[in-house]
Amino acid sequence: MPTAAVYDMQNKKVGDLELSEEIFNVEMNAGLVHQAVVMQLASRRLGTHSTKTRAMVRGGGRKPWRQKGTGRARAGSRRSPLWRGGGTVFGPHPRSYAFSMPRKQRRLALKCVLTDKVKSGNLIVLDSLDFDAPKTKKFVEFQKAFGVDDKKGLFITAELIENVMRSANNLRNAVTISALELNVYDILNSEKLFITKDAVAKIEEVYV
């Protein structure tokens, strides 16, 4: 069973925590993780791109010139895709790029990336994470205590704590989420993963 050291906010070890084998010690499935990331990014796409077909562009009610005798090619409408200002052939139209994966696959992908963070030594368990007031300066001091003020960090608490969230809002390299908002992309996009003991318990309660 994997074990992680537990630290306080001053980077002092205060104990050890046994992690669930079913979540933090699974075999890596890179293909599944890739699919989960693609699914997550695809769902963020707005899909608002649009072009006009020849039925949508303005004009073209009259035949430009007679069919025969002019020496020019036949033309029936100024809205033809061949003409400047005409419609677009097979152009993009508003649509959703979202697709879904089976629930078991999504959860397995999440367990794979959590396991990778544990094995690479980039998962840090905190005894607690909270501030008396929302202060960015205090959050930076907390980061410096762990030497991660210049690295991307993902900070996970059991429930979203307003003082923590607001303290990290102005920092480009800090993302705060709750245990129930855990996702593959944010984990992969962070160099260090900070998670509270309560959040670990919440994750194990939901995903085991």
Side-chain angles (χ1 to χ4, degrees), residues 3 8 24 31-32 48 55 61 70 73 76 88 96-97 106 114-115 139 144 161 165 179 195 197:
T3 304
D8 62 14
F24 297 96
L32 207 58
T48 53
T70 64
T88 301
S96 170
Y97 286 89
R106 294 199 309 270
L114 286 172
T115 298
F139 200 97
K144 286 182 177 178
I161 302 171
M165 179 185 68
I195 183 168
K197 285 173 60 178

Side-chain angles (χ1 to χ4, degrees), residues 33 54 125 139 192 198:
V33 171
R54 63 183 297 164
V125 179
F139 200 97
K192 291 288 184 178
D198 292 342

